[in-house]
Amino acid sequence: MRKILRKSTYLGVLLLGLASIVSCEEDFTNINSGVVTNTKFTTNDTILDVVVTNAPIERLRADGLALNQTPFFGFQGQYLLGTYISDSYENIEASIVSQVNINPDLSLTSYANPDNLSVQTSIDTAFIKLPYQVTLESRTTRPVFKLDSVIGDTSLPFTLNIYELETYLNNLNPLDPSKVNYFATDEVYQTKNTSLTAVDNMDFMPNPNDTLVIIKRRNSLGDLHDTDTIKYTTSSDLPFPMAIIPLKETFVKEVFLDNYNTPNFASQDAFNNYFRGIILEAKEKTHASGKRGGSLISFNLRNSSSESLRPLIEVYYTNTYFKANSSQIDTVIKQKHTFQLGGIINNSYKMNHKTYPANNQVVLQGAAGSEAKVEILSTAQIAALRSKNWLINDAELTFYINQASDTSNVANQLYLYKRGEDANGKIVASHVKDILSEGIVSFDGRLRRENNKKDRYIFGISDYLSDILSGATSYNPPLRLKVYNSSDTQITDTIFTNYNWNPKAVSILNGDETLNGERRAKLKISYTVKN
């Protein structure tokens, strides 16, 4: 059982317990059970109304520059690429913006060439490799993988182009270099007009069977020299599915190979100024059938100890050495160089920002979608409850899913935070006390099922409510309910920083009892009173 001002009574309760003294009028037996063993008191509960309304989000922070704690260290956990088209929720076109890391010590040739033979370089292939997140379902005859972190219609392609950035990605704020820069989800990036993909406006669909690449190695005369089979494997030697995006050979030659041993490759900073990065731009494809769709893929782009699991630009080329004063080939050397997507990586979301009707439900959607404003305990209610001098045992906020809505990509967890304003009208977001005092298990917010249906979310806010009713705090701003993001519970202080790269969505029922009955949003308080 939790009590108003219970923290301040712990020492007194401990001393009384040690002395074997029991005061029926002042102290309680309470070992986190919610059961009062003293018969001079009665436990009861009450249901209070909750006002829940739509609260659309226009933009969020889309870079990881301020994420310095484990497990992020400057990176978001996931980056979205693709399109999600829905009649029930906001459409999303998600693109990835990234710098490219280089090794300044790279050289075009690895052959010692003691006879000073003339050499010609030909590019065999180049592509961007992004590792999927998968589950191994079977390996009886061959490994069978299921793609994780993909929503939408994977049978319909989206349009993908890659463009060179003209916008310089600075990790410091140009207007105030003492501060870390900020890139929002609706940031506008300037790019060059030519697509870097091997095919402009390429169709892209995620495929769990893409586990190898066949590379034909040709000498500079165009003759087939060798064939390499590139298979990406995990530590258990299982082939691992990858998204493979072919690139124009002219782009790879001009930007990378031709710049070895030049000032542009002298350092990472020099390269970032010369080549400012890329944007993998996804757009909805217009299908001849009239269907609308596409898929939205979540990629983990953080560095990995395994090269197979890193997001890389891979370049395969061949050096052909000719005998002196002859067109006769002397030596053929196969080469491979990789360049990792890294440095500053951002997401760009284009969303249609629906206006949802004021009816019996409220829509929550991740990315830069929508949240819910939750209002509990008006000033009059607080005054009335304080006069009752209740001892709060438990307080739960419950939000029911509208099961008549689209529940195909329901959020597995929601998160609750406080969103108020300071004296200057600036937004101040902070954590609810229970996430700090009790932890995520007690605070909860996870999806619960009933009769195999996705049913509701429950939050434990006993400490938060106790502080308000005891007068320990008078700060009672509206709460915000959002789709949970893995960064939400990476807590360093009371301030809450809003990120979201989770595209899941759910419709919940509001607090209107007439329309929603027992499934309305509600606050249940369990309390103890003296007999």
Side-chain angles (χ1 to χ4, degrees), residues 203-280:
D203 285 350
F204 188 89
M205 293 185 294
N207 186 349
N209 297 320
D210 287 342
T211 58
L212 56 86
V213 179
I214 306 297
I215 299 174
K216 294 182 178 180
R217 299 286 202 161
R218 298 184 183 276
N219 60 37
S220 62
L221 299 180
D223 300 324
L224 182 64
H225 170 71
D226 198 1
T227 300
D228 292 343
T229 300
I230 309 301
K231 183 171 67 173
Y232 302 100
T233 60
T234 63
S235 56
S236 58
D237 203 38
L238 281 173
F240 203 86
M242 299 284 164
I244 303 296
I245 308 169
L247 298 172
K248 285 185 170 67
E249 295 175 4
T250 52
F251 151 68
V252 174
K253 180 177 184 300
E254 292 169 2
V255 170
F256 296 102
L257 304 189
D258 288 353
N259 277 282
Y260 291 173
N261 300 316
T262 72
N264 292 331
F265 246 70
S267 67
Q268 185 65 53
D269 286 343
F271 184 78
N272 288 345
N273 190 54
Y274 161 67
F275 183 77
R276 299 187 169 184
I278 58 175
I279 179 168
L280 289 78

Coordinates of all heavy atoms in Angstrom, one line a residue, residues 203-280:
D203 N 12.2 0.8 -57.9 CA 11.2 0.2 -57.1 C 12.0 -0.6 -56.0 O 12.9 -1.3 -56.2 CB 10.4 -0.8 -57.9 CG 9.4 -0.1 -58.8 OD1 9.2 1.1 -58.7 OD2 8.8 -0.8 -59.7
F204 N 11.5 -0.4 -54.8 CA 12.1 -1.1 -53.7 C 11.1 -1.8 -52.8 O 10.1 -1.3 -52.4 CB 12.9 -0.2 -52.8 CG 13.8 -0.9 -51.7 CD1 15.0 -1.4 -52.1 CD2 13.3 -1.3 -50.5 CE1 15.8 -2.1 -51.2 CE2 14.0 -2.0 -49.6 CZ 15.3 -2.4 -49.9
M205 N 11.3 -3.1 -52.6 CA 10.5 -3.9 -51.7 C 11.4 -4.7 -50.8 O 12.4 -5.3 -51.2 CB 9.6 -4.9 -52.4 CG 8.5 -4.3 -53.3 SD 7.4 -5.5 -54.1 CE 8.5 -6.3 -55.2
P206 N 11.2 -4.8 -49.5 CA 12.0 -5.6 -48.6 C 11.9 -7.1 -48.9 O 10.8 -7.5 -49.2 CB 11.5 -5.2 -47.2 CG 10.1 -4.8 -47.4 CD 10.1 -4.1 -48.7
N207 N 13.0 -7.8 -48.8 CA 13.0 -9.2 -49.2 C 13.9 -10.0 -48.2 O 15.1 -9.8 -48.2 CB 13.5 -9.4 -50.6 CG 13.3 -10.8 -51.1 OD1 13.1 -11.7 -50.4 ND2 13.5 -11.0 -52.4
P208 N 13.3 -10.9 -47.4 CA 14.1 -11.7 -46.5 C 15.1 -12.7 -47.2 O 15.9 -13.3 -46.5 CB 13.1 -12.4 -45.6 CG 11.9 -12.5 -46.5 CD 11.9 -11.3 -47.4
N209 N 14.9 -12.9 -48.5 CA 15.7 -13.9 -49.2 C 17.0 -13.2 -49.8 O 17.8 -13.9 -50.4 CB 14.9 -14.5 -50.3 CG 13.8 -15.3 -49.8 OD1 13.9 -16.0 -48.8 ND2 12.6 -15.2 -50.5
D210 N 17.2 -11.9 -49.6 CA 18.4 -11.3 -50.1 C 19.5 -11.5 -49.2 O 19.8 -10.6 -48.3 CB 18.1 -9.8 -50.3 CG 17.2 -9.5 -51.5 OD1 17.0 -10.4 -52.3 OD2 16.6 -8.4 -51.6
T211 N 20.2 -12.6 -49.3 CA 21.3 -13.0 -48.4 C 22.7 -13.1 -49.1 O 23.6 -13.3 -48.4 CB 21.0 -14.3 -47.7 OG1 20.8 -15.3 -48.7 CG2 19.7 -14.2 -46.8
L212 N 22.7 -12.9 -50.4 CA 24.0 -12.9 -51.1 C 24.0 -12.0 -52.3 O 22.9 -11.7 -52.8 CB 24.4 -14.4 -51.4 CG 23.4 -15.2 -52.3 CD1 23.7 -14.9 -53.8 CD2 23.7 -16.7 -52.0
V213 N 25.2 -11.7 -52.8 CA 25.3 -10.9 -54.0 C 26.4 -11.6 -54.9 O 27.4 -12.0 -54.4 CB 25.8 -9.5 -53.6 CG1 26.0 -8.6 -54.9 CG2 24.9 -8.8 -52.7
I214 N 26.0 -11.7 -56.2 CA 26.9 -12.3 -57.2 C 27.6 -11.2 -57.9 O 27.0 -10.3 -58.5 CB 26.2 -13.2 -58.2 CG1 25.3 -14.3 -57.4 CG2 27.2 -13.8 -59.1 CD1 26.2 -15.2 -56.7
I215 N 29.0 -11.2 -57.8 CA 29.7 -10.1 -58.5 C 30.6 -10.7 -59.6 O 31.5 -11.5 -59.3 CB 30.6 -9.4 -57.4 CG1 29.7 -8.8 -56.3 CG2 31.5 -8.3 -58.1 CD1 30.5 -8.2 -55.2
K216 N 30.4 -10.1 -60.8 CA 31.2 -10.5 -61.9 C 32.4 -9.6 -62.0 O 32.3 -8.4 -62.2 CB 30.4 -10.5 -63.2 CG 29.3 -11.6 -63.2 CD 28.5 -11.5 -64.5 CE 27.5 -12.6 -64.5 NZ 26.7 -12.6 -65.8
R217 N 33.6 -10.2 -61.8 CA 34.9 -9.4 -61.9 C 35.4 -9.4 -63.3 O 35.6 -10.5 -63.9 CB 35.9 -10.1 -61.0 CG 35.5 -10.1 -59.5 CD 35.5 -8.7 -58.9 NE 35.7 -8.8 -57.4 CZ 36.1 -7.8 -56.7 NH1 36.4 -6.6 -57.2 NH2 36.2 -7.9 -55.4
R218 N 35.6 -8.2 -63.9 CA 36.0 -8.1 -65.3 C 37.3 -7.3 -65.3 O 37.5 -6.4 -64.5 CB 35.0 -7.4 -66.1 CG 33.7 -8.2 -66.2 CD 32.7 -7.6 -67.2 NE 31.4 -8.3 -67.2 CZ 31.2 -9.4 -67.9 NH1 32.1 -9.9 -68.8 NH2 30.0 -10.0 -67.9
N219 N 38.2 -7.7 -66.2 CA 39.4 -6.9 -66.4 C 39.1 -5.6 -67.2 O 37.9 -5.5 -67.7 CB 40.5 -7.7 -67.0 CG 40.1 -8.2 -68.4 OD1 39.4 -7.6 -69.2 ND2 40.6 -9.5 -68.7
S220 N 40.0 -4.8 -67.4 CA 39.7 -3.5 -68.1 C 39.4 -3.7 -69.5 O 38.9 -2.7 -70.2 CB 40.9 -2.5 -67.9 OG 42.0 -3.1 -68.5
L221 N 39.6 -4.9 -70.1 CA 39.2 -5.1 -71.5 C 37.8 -5.6 -71.6 O 37.3 -5.8 -72.7 CB 40.2 -6.2 -72.1 CG 41.7 -5.9 -72.1 CD1 42.4 -7.0 -72.7 CD2 41.9 -4.6 -72.9
G222 N 37.1 -5.8 -70.4 CA 35.7 -6.2 -70.4 C 35.5 -7.7 -70.3 O 34.4 -8.2 -70.3
D223 N 36.6 -8.5 -70.2 CA 36.5 -9.9 -70.2 C 36.3 -10.4 -68.7 O 36.8 -9.8 -67.8 CB 37.8 -10.6 -70.7 CG 38.1 -10.2 -72.1 OD1 37.1 -10.1 -72.9 OD2 39.3 -10.0 -72.5
L224 N 35.5 -11.4 -68.6 CA 35.2 -11.9 -67.2 C 36.4 -12.6 -66.7 O 37.0 -13.5 -67.3 CB 34.1 -13.0 -67.3 CG 33.6 -13.6 -66.0 CD1 33.0 -12.5 -65.1 CD2 32.6 -14.7 -66.2
H225 N 36.8 -12.1 -65.5 CA 38.0 -12.6 -64.8 C 37.7 -13.6 -63.8 O 38.3 -14.7 -63.6 CB 38.8 -11.5 -64.2 CG 39.9 -11.9 -63.3 ND1 41.1 -12.5 -63.8 CD2 40.1 -11.8 -62.0 CE1 41.9 -12.8 -62.8 NE2 41.3 -12.4 -61.7
D226 N 36.6 -13.3 -63.0 CA 36.3 -14.2 -61.9 C 34.8 -13.8 -61.5 O 34.3 -12.8 -61.8 CB 37.2 -14.0 -60.7 CG 37.2 -15.1 -59.7 OD1 36.4 -16.1 -59.9 OD2 37.9 -15.0 -58.7
T227 N 34.2 -14.7 -60.7 CA 32.9 -14.4 -60.1 C 33.0 -14.6 -58.6 O 33.4 -15.7 -58.1 CB 31.8 -15.4 -60.7 OG1 31.8 -15.2 -62.1 CG2 30.5 -15.1 -60.1
D228 N 32.6 -13.6 -57.9 CA 32.6 -13.7 -56.4 C 31.2 -13.8 -55.9 O 30.3 -13.1 -56.4 CB 33.2 -12.4 -55.8 CG 34.7 -12.3 -56.1 OD1 35.3 -13.4 -56.4 OD2 35.3 -11.2 -55.9
T229 N 31.0 -14.7 -55.0 CA 29.7 -14.8 -54.3 C 29.9 -14.2 -52.9 O 30.6 -14.8 -52.0 CB 29.2 -16.3 -54.2 OG1 29.1 -16.8 -55.5 CG2 27.9 -16.4 -53.5
I230 N 29.2 -13.1 -52.6 CA 29.4 -12.4 -51.3 C 28.2 -12.8 -50.5 O 27.0 -12.6 -50.8 CB 29.4 -10.9 -51.5 CG1 30.5 -10.5 -52.5 CG2 29.6 -10.2 -50.2 CD1 31.9 -10.9 -52.2
K231 N 28.5 -13.5 -49.4 CA 27.4 -13.9 -48.5 C 27.7 -13.3 -47.1 O 28.8 -13.4 -46.5 CB 27.4 -15.5 -48.3 CG 26.3 -16.0 -47.4 CD 26.2 -17.5 -47.5 CE 27.4 -18.2 -46.9 NZ 27.2 -19.7 -46.8
Y232 N 26.6 -12.6 -46.6 CA 26.8 -12.0 -45.3 C 26.3 -12.9 -44.2 O 25.2 -13.5 -44.3 CB 25.9 -10.7 -45.3 CG 26.4 -9.7 -46.3 CD1 25.7 -9.6 -47.5 CD2 27.5 -8.9 -46.2 CE1 26.1 -8.7 -48.5 CE2 27.9 -8.1 -47.2 CZ 27.2 -8.0 -48.4 OH 27.6 -7.1 -49.3
T233 N 27.1 -13.2 -43.2 CA 26.8 -14.2 -42.2 C 26.9 -13.6 -40.8 O 27.6 -12.6 -40.6 CB 27.8 -15.4 -42.3 OG1 29.1 -14.9 -42.1 CG2 27.6 -16.0 -43.7
T234 N 26.2 -14.3 -39.9 CA 26.3 -13.9 -38.5 C 27.4 -14.8 -37.9 O 28.1 -15.5 -38.6 CB 25.0 -14.2 -37.8 OG1 24.7 -15.6 -37.9 CG2 23.8 -13.5 -38.5
S235 N 27.6 -14.6 -36.6 CA 28.6 -15.4 -35.9 C 28.4 -16.9 -36.0 O 29.3 -17.7 -35.8 CB 28.7 -15.0 -34.4 OG 27.4 -15.2 -33.8
S236 N 27.1 -17.3 -36.2 CA 26.8 -18.7 -36.3 C 26.9 -19.2 -37.8 O 26.5 -20.3 -38.1 CB 25.4 -19.0 -35.8 OG 24.5 -18.2 -36.5
D237 N 27.5 -18.3 -38.6 CA 27.7 -18.6 -40.1 C 26.4 -18.8 -40.8 O 26.4 -19.3 -41.9 CB 28.5 -19.9 -40.2 CG 29.2 -19.9 -41.6 OD1 29.7 -18.8 -42.0 OD2 29.3 -21.0 -42.2
L238 N 25.3 -18.2 -40.3 CA 24.0 -18.2 -41.0 C 24.0 -17.0 -42.0 O 24.5 -15.9 -41.6 CB 22.8 -18.0 -40.1 CG 22.4 -19.3 -39.4 CD1 21.3 -18.9 -38.4 CD2 21.8 -20.3 -40.4
P239 N 23.6 -17.2 -43.2 CA 23.4 -16.0 -44.1 C 22.4 -15.0 -43.6 O 21.4 -15.4 -43.0 CB 22.9 -16.7 -45.4 CG 22.3 -17.9 -45.0 CD 23.1 -18.4 -43.8
F240 N 22.7 -13.8 -43.7 CA 21.9 -12.7 -43.1 C 21.3 -11.8 -44.2 O 22.0 -11.3 -45.1 CB 22.8 -11.9 -42.2 CG 22.0 -11.2 -41.1 CD1 21.7 -11.8 -39.9 CD2 21.6 -9.9 -41.3 CE1 21.0 -11.2 -38.9 CE2 20.8 -9.2 -40.3 CZ 20.6 -9.9 -39.1
P241 N 20.0 -11.6 -44.1 CA 19.3 -10.8 -45.2 C 19.8 -9.3 -45.1 O 19.9 -8.7 -44.0 CB 17.8 -10.9 -44.8 CG 17.7 -12.2 -44.0 CD 19.0 -12.2 -43.2
M242 N 19.9 -8.8 -46.3 CA 20.4 -7.4 -46.4 C 19.5 -6.7 -47.5 O 19.1 -7.3 -48.5 CB 21.9 -7.3 -46.9 CG 22.8 -8.0 -46.0 SD 23.2 -7.0 -44.5 CE 23.9 -8.2 -43.4
A243 N 19.3 -5.4 -47.2 CA 18.8 -4.5 -48.3 C 20.0 -4.1 -49.2 O 20.9 -3.5 -48.7 CB 18.1 -3.3 -47.7
I244 N 19.9 -4.3 -50.5 CA 21.0 -4.0 -51.4 C 20.5 -3.0 -52.4 O 19.5 -3.2 -53.1 CB 21.5 -5.2 -52.2 CG1 21.9 -6.3 -51.2 CG2 22.6 -4.9 -53.1 CD1 23.1 -6.0 -50.3
I245 N 21.1 -1.8 -52.4 CA 20.7 -0.7 -53.2 C 21.8 -0.4 -54.2 O 22.8 0.3 -53.8 CB 20.3 0.6 -52.4 CG1 19.3 0.2 -51.3 CG2 19.8 1.7 -53.3 CD1 19.1 1.3 -50.3
P246 N 21.7 -0.8 -55.5 CA 22.8 -0.5 -56.4 C 23.1 1.0 -56.7 O 22.1 1.7 -56.7 CB 22.4 -1.3 -57.7 CG 21.3 -2.2 -57.2 CD 20.7 -1.6 -56.1
L247 N 24.3 1.3 -56.9 CA 24.7 2.7 -57.1 C 25.3 2.9 -58.5 O 25.9 1.9 -59.0 CB 25.7 3.2 -56.0 CG 25.2 3.2 -54.6 CD1 26.4 3.4 -53.6 CD2 24.1 4.2 -54.4
K248 N 25.3 4.1 -59.0 CA 25.9 4.4 -60.2 C 27.4 4.3 -60.1 O 28.0 4.8 -59.1 CB 25.6 5.9 -60.7 CG 24.2 6.0 -61.2 CD 24.0 7.4 -61.8 CE 22.7 7.6 -62.5 NZ 21.5 7.4 -61.7
E249 N 28.1 3.6 -61.0 CA 29.5 3.5 -61.0 C 30.3 4.8 -61.2 O 31.3 5.0 -60.6 CB 30.0 2.5 -62.1 CG 29.4 1.1 -61.8 CD 29.7 0.1 -62.9 OE1 30.5 0.5 -63.9 OE2 29.3 -1.1 -62.9
T250 N 29.7 5.7 -62.0 CA 30.4 7.0 -62.2 C 30.4 7.8 -60.9 O 31.4 8.4 -60.6 CB 29.6 7.8 -63.2 OG1 28.2 7.9 -62.9 CG2 29.8 7.2 -64.6
F251 N 29.4 7.7 -60.1 CA 29.3 8.4 -58.8 C 30.4 7.8 -57.9 O 31.2 8.6 -57.2 CB 28.0 8.2 -58.1 CG 28.0 8.2 -56.6 CD1 28.3 9.4 -55.9 CD2 27.7 7.1 -55.9 CE1 28.3 9.5 -54.5 CE2 27.7 7.1 -54.5 CZ 28.0 8.3 -53.8
V252 N 30.6 6.5 -57.8 CA 31.5 5.9 -56.9 C 33.0 6.3 -57.3 O 33.8 6.6 -56.5 CB 31.3 4.4 -56.8 CG1 32.4 3.7 -56.0 CG2 30.0 4.0 -56.3
K253 N 33.2 6.3 -58.6 CA 34.5 6.6 -59.1 C 34.9 8.0 -58.8 O 36.0 8.3 -58.3 CB 34.6 6.3 -60.6 CG 35.9 6.6 -61.3 CD 36.0 6.2 -62.7 CE 37.3 6.4 -63.4 NZ 37.8 7.8 -63.3
E254 N 34.0 8.9 -59.1 CA 34.3 10.4 -59.0 C 34.4 10.8 -57.5 O 35.3 11.6 -57.2 CB 33.2 11.2 -59.7 CG 33.2 11.0 -61.2 CD 32.0 11.6 -61.8 OE1 31.1 12.2 -61.1 OE2 31.8 11.5 -63.1
V255 N 33.6 10.3 -56.7 CA 33.6 10.7 -55.3 C 34.6 10.0 -54.4 O 35.3 10.6 -53.6 CB 32.2 10.5 -54.7 CG1 32.2 10.8 -53.1 CG2 31.2 11.5 -55.3
F256 N 34.8 8.7 -54.7 CA 35.7 8.0 -53.8 C 37.0 7.7 -54.5 O 38.1 8.2 -54.1 CB 35.0 6.6 -53.4 CG 33.8 6.9 -52.5 CD1 32.5 6.8 -53.0 CD2 33.9 7.3 -51.2 CE1 31.4 7.0 -52.3 CE2 32.8 7.5 -50.4 CZ 31.5 7.4 -50.9
L257 N 37.0 6.8 -55.5 CA 38.3 6.3 -56.0 C 39.2 7.5 -56.6 O 40.4 7.5 -56.4 CB 38.1 5.3 -57.1 CG 37.2 4.1 -56.8 CD1 37.3 3.1 -57.9 CD2 37.7 3.5 -55.5
D258 N 38.6 8.4 -57.3 CA 39.4 9.5 -57.8 C 39.9 10.5 -56.8 O 40.8 11.3 -57.1 CB 38.5 10.3 -58.9 CG 38.3 9.5 -60.1 OD1 38.9 8.4 -60.3 OD2 37.5 10.0 -61.0
N259 N 39.5 10.4 -55.6 CA 39.9 11.3 -54.5 C 40.9 10.7 -53.5 O 41.3 11.4 -52.6 CB 38.7 11.8 -53.8 CG 38.0 13.0 -54.5 OD1 38.5 14.1 -54.5 ND2 36.9 12.6 -55.2
Y260 N 41.3 9.4 -53.7 CA 42.3 8.9 -52.9 C 43.6 9.7 -53.1 O 43.9 10.2 -54.2 CB 42.6 7.4 -53.3 CG 41.5 6.4 -53.0 CD1 41.6 5.1 -53.4 CD2 40.4 6.8 -52.2 CE1 40.6 4.2 -53.2 CE2 39.4 5.9 -52.0 CZ 39.5 4.6 -52.4 OH 38.5 3.7 -52.2
N261 N 44.2 10.0 -51.9 CA 45.5 10.7 -51.9 C 45.3 12.2 -52.4 O 46.3 12.8 -52.9 CB 46.6 10.0 -52.8 CG 46.9 8.6 -52.3 OD1 47.0 8.4 -51.1 ND2 46.9 7.7 -53.2
T262 N 44.1 12.7 -52.3 CA 43.9 14.2 -52.6 C 43.5 14.9 -51.3 O 43.2 14.2 -50.3 CB 42.8 14.3 -53.6 OG1 41.5 14.0 -53.0 CG2 43.0 13.5 -54.8
P263 N 43.5 16.2 -51.3 CA 43.1 16.9 -50.0 C 41.7 16.6 -49.6 O 41.4 16.7 -48.4 CB 43.2 18.4 -50.5 CG 44.3 18.4 -51.5 CD 44.1 17.1 -52.3
N264 N 40.8 16.2 -50.5 CA 39.5 15.8 -50.1 C 39.4 14.6 -49.2 O 38.4 14.3 -48.5 CB 38.6 15.6 -51.4 CG 38.4 16.8 -52.2 OD1 38.3 17.9 -51.6 ND2 38.2 16.7 -53.5
F265 N 40.5 13.7 -49.3 CA 40.5 12.5 -48.5 C 41.6 12.7 -47.4 O 41.9 11.7 -46.8 CB 40.9 11.3 -49.4 CG 39.8 10.3 -49.5 CD1 38.7 10.6 -50.2 CD2 40.0 9.1 -48.9 CE1 37.7 9.6 -50.4 CE2 39.0 8.1 -49.1 CZ 37.8 8.4 -49.8
A266 N 42.0 13.9 -47.1 CA 43.0 14.1 -46.1 C 42.5 13.8 -44.7 O 43.3 13.3 -43.8 CB 43.6 15.5 -46.2
S267 N 41.3 14.0 -44.4 CA 40.7 13.7 -43.1 C 39.2 13.6 -43.3 O 38.6 13.9 -44.3 CB 41.0 14.9 -42.2 OG 40.3 16.1 -42.6
Q268 N 38.5 13.2 -42.2 CA 37.1 13.0 -42.2 C 36.4 14.4 -42.4 O 35.4 14.5 -43.1 CB 36.6 12.3 -41.0 CG 35.1 12.0 -41.0 CD 34.7 11.0 -42.0 OE1 35.2 9.9 -42.1 NE2 33.7 11.4 -42.9
D269 N 36.9 15.4 -41.7 CA 36.4 16.7 -41.8 C 36.5 17.3 -43.2 O 35.5 17.9 -43.8 CB 37.0 17.7 -40.8 CG 36.6 17.5 -39.4 OD1 35.6 16.8 -39.2 OD2 37.3 17.9 -38.5
A270 N 37.6 17.0 -43.9 CA 37.8 17.5 -45.2 C 36.9 16.8 -46.2 O 36.3 17.4 -47.1 CB 39.3 17.2 -45.7
F271 N 36.6 15.5 -46.0 CA 35.7 14.8 -46.8 C 34.3 15.2 -46.6 O 33.5 15.4 -47.6 CB 35.8 13.3 -46.6 CG 35.0 12.4 -47.5 CD1 35.3 12.2 -48.8 CD2 33.7 11.9 -47.1 CE1 34.5 11.5 -49.7 CE2 32.9 11.2 -47.9 CZ 33.3 11.0 -49.2
N272 N 33.9 15.5 -45.3 CA 32.5 16.0 -45.0 C 32.3 17.3 -45.7 O 31.1 17.6 -46.0 CB 32.3 16.1 -43.5 CG 32.2 14.7 -42.8 OD1 32.0 13.7 -43.5 ND2 32.4 14.7 -41.5
N273 N 33.3 18.1 -45.8 CA 33.1 19.4 -46.5 C 33.0 19.2 -48.0 O 32.2 19.9 -48.7 CB 34.2 20.3 -46.2 CG 34.0 21.7 -46.6 OD1 32.9 22.3 -46.3 ND2 34.9 22.3 -47.4
Y274 N 33.8 18.3 -48.6 CA 33.7 18.0 -50.0 C 32.5 17.2 -50.4 O 31.7 17.7 -51.3 CB 35.0 17.2 -50.4 CG 34.9 16.5 -51.7 CD1 34.8 17.2 -52.9 CD2 34.8 15.1 -51.7 CE1 34.7 16.5 -54.1 CE2 34.7 14.4 -53.0 CZ 34.6 15.1 -54.1 OH 34.5 14.5 -55.3
F275 N 32.2 16.2 -49.7 CA 31.0 15.3 -50.0 C 30.2 15.3 -48.7 O 30.5 14.7 -47.7 CB 31.4 13.9 -50.4 CG 30.2 13.1 -50.8 CD1 29.6 13.2 -52.0 CD2 29.7 12.1 -49.9 CE1 28.5 12.4 -52.3 CE2 28.6 11.3 -50.2 CZ 28.0 11.5 -51.4
R276 N 29.1 16.0 -48.7 CA 28.4 16.3 -47.4 C 27.4 15.2 -46.9 O 26.9 15.3 -45.9 CB 27.6 17.7 -47.6 CG 28.6 18.8 -47.9 CD 28.1 20.1 -47.9 NE 29.1 21.1 -48.0 CZ 29.0 22.4 -47.9 NH1 27.8 22.9 -47.8 NH2 30.0 23.2 -48.0
G277 N 27.3 14.2 -47.7 CA 26.4 13.1 -47.3 C 25.4 12.8 -48.4 O 25.4 13.3 -49.5
I278 N 24.5 11.9 -48.0 CA 23.4 11.4 -48.9 C 22.1 11.4 -48.2 O 22.0 11.4 -46.9 CB 23.7 10.0 -49.4 CG1 23.9 9.0 -48.2 CG2 25.0 9.9 -50.2 CD1 24.0 7.6 -48.6
I279 N 21.0 11.4 -49.0 CA 19.7 11.2 -48.5 C 19.1 10.1 -49.2 O 19.1 10.1 -50.5 CB 18.8 12.5 -48.5 CG1 17.4 12.2 -48.0 CG2 18.8 13.1 -49.9 CD1 16.5 13.4 -47.8
L280 N 18.7 9.0 -48.5 CA 17.9 7.9 -49.1 C 16.5 8.3 -49.1 O 15.9 8.3 -48.0 CB 18.2 6.6 -48.4 CG 19.6 6.0 -48.5 CD1 20.6 6.7 -47.6 CD2 19.5 4.5 -48.1

